[in-house]
Amino acid sequence: MHSLSSSSSPPQNSADSFDGGAAAERRLRDAEERLREAIEELQRRQHRSYGRHPPCDHADESCVANAIGNLCQSFLLSYGVRVGIGILLRAFKLARRQSYSSLLDLKQLVSEKDLIVREEACRIGLLFGGFTGSYHALRCLLRKLRKKETPLNAILAGSAAGLSILALDDPNRRRTLALYLLARLAQCAYNSAKAKNKFHLWGSHWGHGDSLLFALSCAQVMYAFVMRPESLPKSYQDFIQKTGPVDAPVYKAVRECCRGSPVDVASLSLYLSRIGGSSNVNLEEFPSIIPCSIIHPHTSSCIAHNANALTATFRKTFPLYFSLTFVPFVILRLQKFMDAPIRTCWHAVTGAVRSTSFLSAFVGIFQ
């Protein structure tokens, strides 16, 4: 009997422990549900209070001081980024010329002739500093005048703060920046509508729909560059022309050939004689195709031309991408750079290599 009673006791203990665990789990779920309801109720009360009292985190004097602080901080950061990128690009330029002794000369490295560290950097600093400072100041002012916080405050403040673009003295740069921001605004509006299931373009749900859209965009841009160069901004034309391995007279001949117009044979002959190309090229006024001996006169192999285009593009654009990756990270995240400088440099190098490889592959494949 003793053994029988002792053998029957464990099932009773396990049942008791099971009931206790289930009860504890129920109490935990009840507590989580009450906590969730309390948080929701607090958020509802806070939202209702926003309509009556503006949720200003600072007093009026603190808002002004906060706006001035944001202005100064953004100005210094933007100025530092512009100057840092310019100095690093200048260092790459001197190293490419094998002027290693000039790298140790601060006057050569920070030269007003090759690097505008005063006016241009100051204008960029005023652009970003003026935008952030005026944006925060106007939001505080609208919050005080309208007695409530709504998205309209941010829209009005951002619109007025956008006048800081007048800090740039070049109308073409202002127009380019405005068009870029307009495209970003359209992108943000589309992403918001898509996230809320209100609107999306056909094919945007495809697995590689973004790649297809990028391919179509590249096709449009390169068609415009070759056939309708007047439709692109001058700076964009210059960038594509400088990055690619084909000279402008050749693109002009290709454009005339595609349109059925007479090719300027005299201009092509002058171009070939200037660069030391082959003099045995048979130039026609109405050719059916521009021969490879004109497109890449320095080599007879199309594969070698494509490989040279890829490597030349990599060498030319790597300093730019490295500067754009390394300098902002160092200036904007100085503490992280001081804690792990080698890791920061490695991330900058890998990011620059990735971006440069993309552009180099694009140029090589396009050729």
Side-chain angles (χ1 to χ4, degrees), residues 116-261:
I116 305 176
V117 297
R118 294 179 181 175
E119 183 180 357
E120 182 181 356
C122 286
R123 287 184 179 277
I124 293 178
L126 288 174
L127 168 63
F128 291 100
F131 178 84
T132 55
S134 57
Y135 173 75
H136 286 287
L138 290 172
R139 280 199 70 182
C140 288
L141 179 62
L142 291 172
R143 192 184 295 125
K144 179 181 178 181
L145 295 177
R146 303 184 70 232
K147 305 298 183 183
K148 58 183 177 179
E149 178 65 54
T150 62
L152 183 60
N153 292 355
I155 295 175
L156 295 176
S159 301
L163 295 176
S164 59
I165 198 176
L166 295 176
L168 301 178
D169 59 340
D170 188 359
N172 293 327
R173 296 184 64 185
R174 293 200 296 263
R175 187 181 302 109
T176 301
L177 180 60
L179 291 174
Y180 175 80
L181 294 179
L182 182 62
R184 289 299 184 186
L185 173 63
Q187 181 183 7
C188 292
Y190 171 74
N191 291 336
S192 176
K194 183 179 178 180
K196 296 177 181 178
N197 292 325
K198 292 183 178 180
F199 171 78
H200 70 87
L201 295 175
W202 177 80
S204 62
H205 60 284
W206 295 352
H208 298 283
D210 52 351
S211 301
L212 177 61
L213 180 61
F214 183 77
L216 295 175
S217 302
C218 291
Q220 177 190 7
V221 170
M222 298 312 298
Y223 168 80
F225 172 72
V226 177
M227 299 301 298
R228 306 286 181 181
E230 67 279 359
S231 63
L232 294 178
K234 184 65 168 56
S235 58
Y236 207 65
Q237 294 182 44
D238 295 340
F239 174 76
I240 299 177
Q241 185 66 61
K242 184 179 179 181
T243 305
V246 180
D247 293 332
V250 180
Y251 281 122
K252 181 175 180 293
V254 171
R255 184 162 54 251
E256 293 169 346
C257 179
C258 291
R259 292 175 178 174
S261 304

Side-chain angles (χ1 to χ4, degrees), residues 296 298-311:
H296 46 86
H298 297 292
T299 176
S300 59
S301 174
C302 292
I303 297 178
H305 168 69
N306 298 336
N308 293 334
L310 191 148
T311 54

Side-chain angles (χ1 to χ4, degrees), residues 291-358:
C292 292
S293 55
I294 296 179
I295 295 179
H296 46 86
H298 297 292
T299 176
S300 59
S301 174
C302 292
I303 297 178
H305 168 69
N306 298 336
N308 293 334
L310 191 148
T311 54
T313 303
F314 192 95
R315 288 195 304 267
K316 287 187 292 186
T317 57
F318 177 79
L320 175 62
Y321 280 118
F322 180 78
S323 303
L324 294 176
T325 305
F326 179 75
V327 175
F329 191 91
V330 172
I331 294 179
L332 301 179
R333 301 179 181 181
L334 183 59
Q335 186 60 41
K336 289 186 177 181
F337 173 73
M338 298 299 294
D339 295 338
I342 298 178
R343 183 180 180 184
T344 301
C345 294
W346 173 251
H347 282 308
V349 170
T350 54
V353 168
R354 188 183 300 112
S355 301
T356 309
S357 300
F358 157 74

Side-chain angles (χ1 to χ4, degrees), residues 262-274:
V263 175
D264 190 353
V265 178
S267 176
L268 276 181
S269 300
L270 182 62
Y271 160 73
L272 292 175
S273 61
R274 186 177 68 250

